[in-house]
């Protein structure tokens, strides 16, 4: 049996902050500031994780971009907690297991170059096992509570993320952000912080979560046999989750995934697993998760306030 460690950073957080933690300066060190509302941030891929470089409290390192995480997550290894009363009353749930003893801090100010975010909450969790597995310096994870105020263009063709500020209705404050042509769009439902898409496989309806930090797609063992007919297994892998727990899963390719008559995908690397704990964490019933494989095929813009995805023309795909 081949054993490969795969990291899925999927969190949902609840509860109140118990202390103030002022962040005086945070910057993406290689960001290109377009104007007061828009910045472009280059990223690197570490395995299948989207990673940006940033500075925070005098420390410089990597942050994972994770649409499946509710909050900004700081690595306890680099931002140790000084007071025991900071422990959260509620747990933070990971896709494989429950993360033990998460802690929470309130950020008085979080600054991305000239884009200022105020009163943001962060969780503090030991992510040292991810650092070891991925052989990287990891300061933390940037999630929904940072991204939601922006239209977020995740572009795996150019390896860059564009953040552009939106108003309360989701309208871009910068009207001339994209030179690229938008070719299609689809609505989604925002369940708490989770993007939920209606999809089909072999004509069967599925509810799929969208998570930029899922290194492989996931499909629930309990889905219809008509769906599993188009899951072609190849090997067994060992999955490691955020809590450093391990489970064995069946890996292969999922075929015929469609979001609409015009939005469909080629075969995607997918694991077959039990998603009951993830559904408990998300507070909804998902039939699966779409991750890196989704973004690799589709240059995607996320508008949280409009609950809409837009897709940008891919230069490698002819009309």
């Amino acid at each position: 049996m081949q054993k490969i460690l795969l990291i899925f950073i999927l969190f949902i957080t609840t509860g109140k902050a118990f202390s103030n933690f002022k962040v005086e300066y945070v910057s993406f060190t290689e960001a290109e500031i377009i104007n007061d509302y828009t910045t472009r941030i280059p990223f690197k891929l570490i395995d299948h994780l989207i990673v940006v470089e940033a500075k925070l409290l005098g420390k410089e390192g990597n942050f994972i971009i994770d649409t499946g995480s509710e909050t900004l997550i700081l690595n306890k290894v680099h931002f140790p907690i000084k007071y025991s009363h900071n422990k959260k009353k509620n747990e933070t749930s990971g896709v494989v297991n429950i993360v033990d003893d998460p802690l929470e801090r309130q950020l008085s100010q979080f600054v991305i170059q000239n884009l200022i975010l105020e009163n943001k909450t962060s969780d503090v969790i030991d992510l040292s096992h991810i650092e070891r597995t991925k052989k990287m310096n990891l300061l933390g994870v940037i999630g929904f509570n940072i991204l939601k105020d922006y239209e977020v263009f995740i572009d795996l063709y150019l390896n860059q993320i564009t953040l552009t500020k939106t108003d309360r209705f989701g309208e871009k404050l910068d009207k001339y952000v994209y030179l690229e042509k938008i070719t299609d769009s689809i609505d989604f439902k925002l369940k708490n912080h989770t993007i939920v898409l209606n999809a089909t496989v072999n004509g069967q309806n599925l509810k799929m979560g969208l998570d930029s930090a899922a290194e492989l797609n996931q499909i629930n063992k309990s889905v219809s046999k008509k769906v599993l007919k188009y899951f072609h297994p190849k090997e067994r892998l060992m999955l490691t989750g955020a809590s450093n727990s391990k489970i064995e899963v069946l890996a292969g390719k999922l075929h015929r995934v469609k979001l609409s008559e015009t939005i469909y995908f080629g075969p995607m690397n997918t694991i077959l697993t039990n998603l009951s704990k993830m559904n408990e964490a998300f507070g909804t019933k998902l039939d699966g998760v779409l991750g890196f494989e989704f973004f690799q095929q589709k240059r995607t813009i996320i508008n949280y306030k409009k609950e809409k995805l837009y897709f940008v023309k891919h230069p490698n795909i002819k009309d």
Side-chain angles (χ1 to χ4, degrees):
M1 180 185 70
Q2 183 182 8
K3 291 187 178 181
I4 299 178
L5 294 178
L6 303 169
I7 307 300
F8 291 82
I9 315 295
L10 283 165
F11 294 101
I12 179 171
T13 59
T14 56
K16 300 294 184 180
F18 295 101
S19 66
N20 290 323
F21 184 62
K22 185 174 181 180
V23 176
E24 296 178 352
Y25 184 76
V26 176
S27 68
F28 292 119
T29 54
E30 299 182 5
E32 177 187 2
I33 304 302
I34 307 303
N35 54 45
D36 288 344
Y37 306 116
T38 303
T39 185
R40 292 196 185 106
I41 307 165
F43 63 77
K44 56 192 172 185
L45 289 174
I46 297 181
D47 292 337
H48 288 167
L49 295 174
I50 297 172
V51 176
V52 297
E53 293 184 8
K55 288 182 179 179
L56 172 60
L57 292 174
K59 300 179 185 292
E60 184 170 354
N62 298 306
F63 281 83
I64 295 169
I65 300 293
D66 182 8
T67 61
S69 169
E70 182 178 8
T71 65
L72 170 70
I73 298 171
L74 301 180
N75 189 352
K76 187 177 178 181
V77 174
H78 301 289
F79 303 98
I81 297 296
K82 295 181 179 179
Y83 306 104
S84 60
H85 67 267
N86 285 336
K87 289 190 177 182
K88 286 178 63 174
K89 294 180 180 178
N90 299 291
E91 292 176 310
T92 296
S93 298
V95 68
V96 176
N97 207 339
I98 301 298
V99 179
D100 295 328
D101 295 326
L103 303 113
E104 195 172 81
R105 286 178 169 179
Q106 185 74 20
L107 307 184
S108 301
Q109 188 179 80
F110 187 97
V111 184
I112 304 174
Q113 295 285 49
N114 62 337
L115 304 177
I116 299 175
L117 311 170
E118 294 181 339
N119 299 321
K120 298 298 179 182
T121 300
S122 77
D123 286 327
V124 184
I125 296 171
D126 186 351
L127 301 176
S128 59
H129 62 285
I130 300 178
E131 290 191 300
R132 291 192 300 271
T133 302
K134 299 301 181 182
K135 298 179 182 178
M136 64 186 288
N137 170 277
L138 179 61
L139 294 188
V141 177
I142 294 171
F144 169 77
N145 73 334
I146 300 297
L147 301 174
K148 66 183 177 64
D149 294 325
Y150 298 88
E151 194 169 87
V152 183
F153 179 14
I154 300 177
D155 187 354
L156 262 72
Y157 175 71
L158 294 177
N159 277 18
Q160 69 181 18
I161 291 176
T162 302
L163 299 178
T164 188
K165 188 79 171 178
T166 59
D167 64 19
R168 62 192 182 96
F169 301 107
E171 297 294 335
K172 297 188 297 293
L173 299 179
D174 178 1
K175 303 298 183 183
Y176 306 101
V177 180
Y178 311 118
L179 297 176
E180 296 86 353
K181 179 182 178 182
I182 293 176
T183 58
D184 218 331
S185 64
I186 195 166
D187 295 331
F188 64 82
K189 293 293 184 184
L190 196 61
K191 178 68 174 179
N192 296 321
H193 67 283
T194 306
I195 295 172
V196 180
L197 295 165
N198 291 321
T200 63
V201 172
N202 192 21
Q204 302 298 300
N205 294 327
L206 300 171
K207 289 192 178 298
M208 306 291 284
L210 183 63
D211 176 23
S212 63
E215 296 193 75
L216 293 178
N217 292 350
Q218 300 169 70
I219 194 75
N220 203 344
K221 289 180 178 179
S222 64
V223 298
S224 164
K225 291 182 179 178
K226 293 182 178 180
V227 174
L228 295 181
K229 178 181 177 182
Y230 289 94
F231 173 71
H232 299 167
K234 289 189 174 182
E235 59 186 331
R236 294 185 180 275
L237 301 178
M238 194 64 71
L239 172 70
T240 299
S243 60
N244 207 21
S245 299
K246 297 178 177 63
I247 58 171
E248 186 180 272
V249 298
L250 193 61
K253 287 188 180 290
L254 183 64
H255 297 248
R256 300 197 181 186
V257 177
K258 297 176 66 175
L259 301 184
S260 71
E261 289 302 315
T262 57
I263 305 171
Y264 47 86
F265 297 82
M268 292 187 283
N269 291 318
T270 302
I271 61 171
L272 180 67
T273 187
N274 185 341
L275 297 182
S276 59
K277 285 188 176 294
M278 186 192 69
N279 282 326
E280 180 183 344
F282 276 78
T284 187
K285 186 180 185 301
L286 294 178
D287 297 302
V289 176
L290 299 170
F292 173 82
E293 297 281 320
F294 177 102
F295 292 101
Q296 188 176 42
Q297 293 191 31
K298 299 291 184 183
R299 303 171 77 195
T300 305
I301 299 169
I302 303 169
N303 191 307
Y304 285 101
K305 293 172 184 173
K306 289 187 175 182
E307 297 189 7
K308 204 170 188 70
L309 298 183
Y310 301 91
F311 300 101
V312 169
K313 178 177 173 59
H314 201 295
N316 295 334
I317 299 176
K318 296 181 179 179
D319 293 325

